[in-house]
């Protein structure tokens, strides 16, 4: 593994994104205004790595983001990302990927889907620690009463992403 985490900025319609990669694999994607969160999370996961800025993000990731924000969702090659987490976190992130674009599920529903209905808070915590937001769609998880809750990028962005995906779904129908 490299000794560097490279951070590249990506301009999206809802704010600049920070894309952090190691050896050409995306390890973190978050909004630029959450860079402190990015460094805290990644310092825990990847100790003693030097942070650099510039260069290029992995092309499959930027190609996917370009398509997503243009209104189409392709499949991102899984080998373009490296999600480091506990087995439980990974099971939550894997479940998030199964939520179709334009749809949402509650935290309780996600816990049920994982076969552990009492793990709502643990599911919410794993959701919050998702290292590659948007790509692994943590924004598709909502409160049991249908309200928008808990998004590190802010609820306005969460609403934008859900509305964007609903529009993509309607356009495809």
């Amino acid at each position: 593994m490299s000794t560097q985490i490279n951070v590249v900025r990506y301009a999206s319609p809802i704010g600049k994104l920070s894309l952090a990669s190691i050896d050409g694999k995306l390890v973190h994607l978050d909004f630029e205004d959450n860079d402190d969160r990015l460094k805290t999370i990644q310092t825990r996961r990847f100790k003693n790595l030097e942070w650099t800025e510039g260069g290029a993000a992995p092309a499959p990731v930027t190609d996917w983001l370009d398509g997503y924000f243009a209104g189409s969702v392709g499949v991102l090659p899984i080998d373009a990302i490296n999600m480091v987490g506990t087995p439980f976190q990974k099971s939550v992130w894997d479940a998030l990927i199964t939520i179709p674009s334009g749809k949402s599920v509650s935290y309780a529903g996600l816990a049920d889907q994982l076969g552990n209905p009492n793990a709502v808070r643990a599911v919410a915590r794993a959701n919050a620690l998702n290292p590659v937001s948007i790509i692994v769609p943590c924004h598709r998880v909502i409160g049991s009463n249908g309200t928008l809750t808990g998004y590190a990028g802010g609820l306005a962005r969460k609403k934008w992403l859900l509305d964007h995906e609903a529009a993509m779904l309607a356009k495809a129908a």
Side-chain angles (χ1 to χ4, degrees), residues 10 28 31 35 63 91 95 106 113 122 158 163:
Y10 177 92
H28 200 90
F31 292 95
D35 274 357
D63 291 348
S91 72
S106 69
Q113 180 181 333
K158 183 172 189 164
D163 290 348

Side-chain angles (χ1 to χ4, degrees), residues 4-134:
Q4 294 184 336
I5 294 180
N6 185 50
V7 179
V8 175
R9 306 304 172 175
Y10 177 92
S12 85
I14 51 176
K16 279 193 179 176
L17 299 172
S18 296
L19 286 65
S21 60
I22 297 174
D23 294 332
K25 291 190 181 223
L26 187 72
V27 294
H28 200 90
L29 184 155
D30 209 338
F31 292 95
E32 183 179 56
D33 47 1
N34 286 336
D35 274 357
D36 288 343
R37 179 177 178 269
L38 181 151
K39 286 188 179 184
T40 298
I41 291 170
Q42 295 305 350
T43 299
R44 288 182 193 148
R45 291 186 180 141
F46 303 106
K47 294 179 176 25
N48 303 318
L49 296 184
E50 177 187 344
W51 288 76
T52 62
E53 290 231 17
V61 173
T62 55
D63 291 348
W64 186 92
L65 288 168
D66 290 345
Y68 176 84
F69 287 116
S72 66
V73 176
V75 176
L76 179 68
I78 198 68
D79 62 353
I81 57 176
N82 179 14
M83 298 192 313
V84 176
T86 68
F88 180 78
Q89 288 169 337
K90 288 181 178 183
S91 72
V92 171
W93 302 335
D94 288 344
L96 292 173
I97 293 169
T98 69
I99 305 168
S101 181
K103 303 293 182 186
S104 59
V105 67
S106 69
Y107 293 97
L110 197 55
D112 284 343
Q113 180 181 333
L114 292 169
N116 196 346
N118 295 323
V120 175
R121 293 183 76 165
V123 163
R125 181 71 179 141
N127 193 54
L129 293 174
N130 169 17
V132 289
S133 66
I134 303 173

